Amino acid sequence: MRTGDVRRRSVLTSHPVLDNGSAAHMPLPPLILKVFEMLVNPGDNVLIDTPTYSGTLAAVKPLGCNLIGVPTDQHGIIPQALKDILSRWQPQDVIIPEKKSPKILYTIPNGGNPTGASLTRDRKIEVYKIAQEYDLIIVEDDPYYFLQFNKPWAPSFLSMDIDGRVIRADSMSKILSSGLRIGYLTGPKPLIDQIVLHMQASTLHTSAFTQVMVVQLLQKWGVDGFMEHIESVIQFYRSQRDAMLVSADKWLTGNQGKHQVTKRGPALSYPMFTLVTGIVGRWRAVCVTALQRPNSDAAAIRIVVGLAEWHSPTAGMFLWMKILGVPDTHQMIMLKAISKEVLLVPGSAFNIDSSEPSSYVRASFSLSTPEQIDQGLERLASLIIEERK
């Protein structure tokens, strides 16, 4: 289904619809799944930021579409990478079904699950312009919008939409109570109306009880009271994030990995060097030390690596860590970590092809106390050292 003509005829004023949760936080994402079922046919090409939430992947794959991963970094989708992928098609191919040009770009723009990455304002503007050029619908799955730690908050894709090409999913689960299971979609009325018809034949009706609870609470608070509550939620998650970063710096920057390595050759000797930790950009990493051995023409060089590297998330509740020296974390996490009561998710779970190895792990700082976080990362450090032997 190509919806460009429908959107151009629509009134651009957005129209919300409620359902039992959005996407980036549920095993089966009802709202987002309904969007994909409305827009995607078997064999269609769909763009999705990678890595991405495993629940969305599990829900969308049975539709028979071809998922194309768009590379990301700590600031979300890389616009040039999106351009490079779309260069396989011409903008005019959107009206030729046989060309299979992508219809949809799915993204978690703030505090992405699993990466914690957040799109900047400038990148969103670039991505939106690309979507205009290739007539893409942007599916903006944004349950962590109100969990942005820094101000000003980045504007949403919906707020900059002038064409009616953005369908946005929000959630109350992250800011009120996870048990409420209340999410809502906002977008062009012709598309939302189709989802309402879908709900009448599937969900039938979103829980009236939880809707009444939310409405009564919001009416009591008003806008000012709601925003005061949001500030308290942000303060909690920011302190949780900071606690995890402190513990990660404490246990994963390589200090537990110090050891002496000596390699002798015709003119080389590698003595023990001092491990140097530092910050490169926003990534914690371990620096390289290189020393010239006295009275030798050869440089005595040792590259010392830490246990992991990561960037500080600016929203959400996840820390995405690359485990150094471990090409695939699946066995380490699913067998060894669980046996030590450390609950993490291996990075491969968030790949489009989950069989592809990944050196990453996702940690959540939403529930554990700072003491539990510290203990968990201490155990993870021991696991990494053992895995690298």
Side-chain angles (χ1 to χ4, degrees), residues 152-258:
W153 291 350
S156 66
F157 279 114
L158 183 67
S159 69
M160 60 180 68
D161 185 20
I162 59 174
D163 302 331
R165 67 176 64 255
V166 175
I167 299 178
R168 176 180 171 82
D170 286 271
S171 174
M172 290 292 181
S173 296
K174 296 295 182 284
I175 54 178
L176 293 181
S177 170
S178 58
L180 286 174
R181 315 319 297 172
I182 289 289
Y184 52 98
L185 284 179
T186 314
K189 190 174 186 301
L191 300 183
I192 298 298
D193 285 347
Q194 294 301 310
I195 293 175
V196 170
L197 291 175
H198 189 345
M199 289 176 61
Q200 291 173 359
S202 56
T203 307
L204 300 183
H205 194 280
T206 305
S207 170
F209 178 68
T210 52
Q211 289 188 68
V212 169
M213 290 178 62
V214 171
V215 169
Q216 290 293 317
L217 185 59
L218 295 179
Q219 287 178 344
K220 180 179 180 179
W221 276 345
V223 174
D224 291 341
F226 175 73
M227 294 311 298
E228 288 179 11
H229 169 74
I230 291 299
E231 286 301 320
S232 68
V233 175
I234 291 173
Q235 182 177 352
F236 169 77
Y237 279 106
R238 185 191 291 118
S239 65
Q240 290 287 98
R241 177 205 62 179
D242 292 346
M244 181 164 278
L245 291 176
V246 167
S247 293
D249 279 333
K250 176 181 176 182
W251 296 111
L252 301 177
T253 51
N255 291 315
Q256 290 70 41
K258 283 194 206 178

Side-chain angles (χ1 to χ4, degrees), residues 271-315:
M272 182 188 296
F273 292 155
T274 301
L275 188 66
V276 182
T277 62
I279 299 177
V280 183
R282 297 180 58 142
W283 285 86
R284 268 79 170 173
V286 178
C287 299
V288 174
T289 61
L291 300 180
Q292 183 74 31
R293 186 185 176 210
N295 304 318
S296 172
D297 294 332
I301 301 174
R302 180 177 174 204
I303 298 175
V304 184
V305 296
L307 302 182
E309 62 184 18
W310 59 91
H311 65 83
S312 175
T314 58

Side-chain angles (χ1 to χ4, degrees), residues 48-196:
I48 189 165
D49 52 8
T50 51
T52 198
Y53 176 54
S54 55
T56 299
L57 294 173
V60 173
K61 284 181 179 179
L63 300 179
C65 56
N66 177 36
L67 298 178
I68 301 175
V70 182
T72 61
D73 60 17
Q74 66 266 37
H75 303 300
I77 287 176
I78 303 171
Q80 186 58 53
L82 178 59
K83 288 181 183 179
D84 292 343
I85 291 171
L86 287 168
S87 66
R88 307 173 196 173
W89 296 273
Q90 297 297 322
Q92 58 268 25
D93 289 344
V94 298
I95 62 174
I96 307 174
E98 295 76 15
K99 294 289 188 178
K100 297 290 184 182
S101 63
K103 302 175 181 180
I104 295 175
L105 171 63
Y106 170 86
T107 182
I108 305 173
N110 292 297
N113 185 354
T115 64
S118 296
L119 273 167
T120 63
R121 177 182 181 276
D122 290 343
R123 282 202 180 182
K124 285 183 176 179
I125 291 173
E126 284 189 76
V127 169
Y128 187 82
K129 288 180 179 178
I130 296 170
Q132 287 180 306
E133 182 180 1
Y134 285 89
D135 196 23
L136 297 173
I137 293 178
I138 298 175
V139 179
E140 183 177 26
D141 188 7
D142 206 2
Y144 310 107
Y145 175 79
F146 288 107
L147 299 184
Q148 297 183 65
F149 303 135
N150 303 321
K151 292 184 178 179
W153 291 350
S156 66
F157 279 114
L158 183 67
S159 69
M160 60 180 68
D161 185 20
I162 59 174
D163 302 331
R165 67 176 64 255
V166 175
I167 299 178
R168 176 180 171 82
D170 286 271
S171 174
M172 290 292 181
S173 296
K174 296 295 182 284
I175 54 178
L176 293 181
S177 170
S178 58
L180 286 174
R181 315 319 297 172
I182 289 289
Y184 52 98
L185 284 179
T186 314
K189 190 174 186 301
L191 300 183
I192 298 298
D193 285 347
Q194 294 301 310
I195 293 175
V196 170

Side-chain angles (χ1 to χ4, degrees), residues 27 39 44 84 151 155 241 281 341 345 372 383:
L39 298 175
D44 284 350
D84 292 343
K151 292 184 178 179
R241 177 205 62 179
E341 299 181 342
V345 184
Q372 290 172 326
L383 286 168

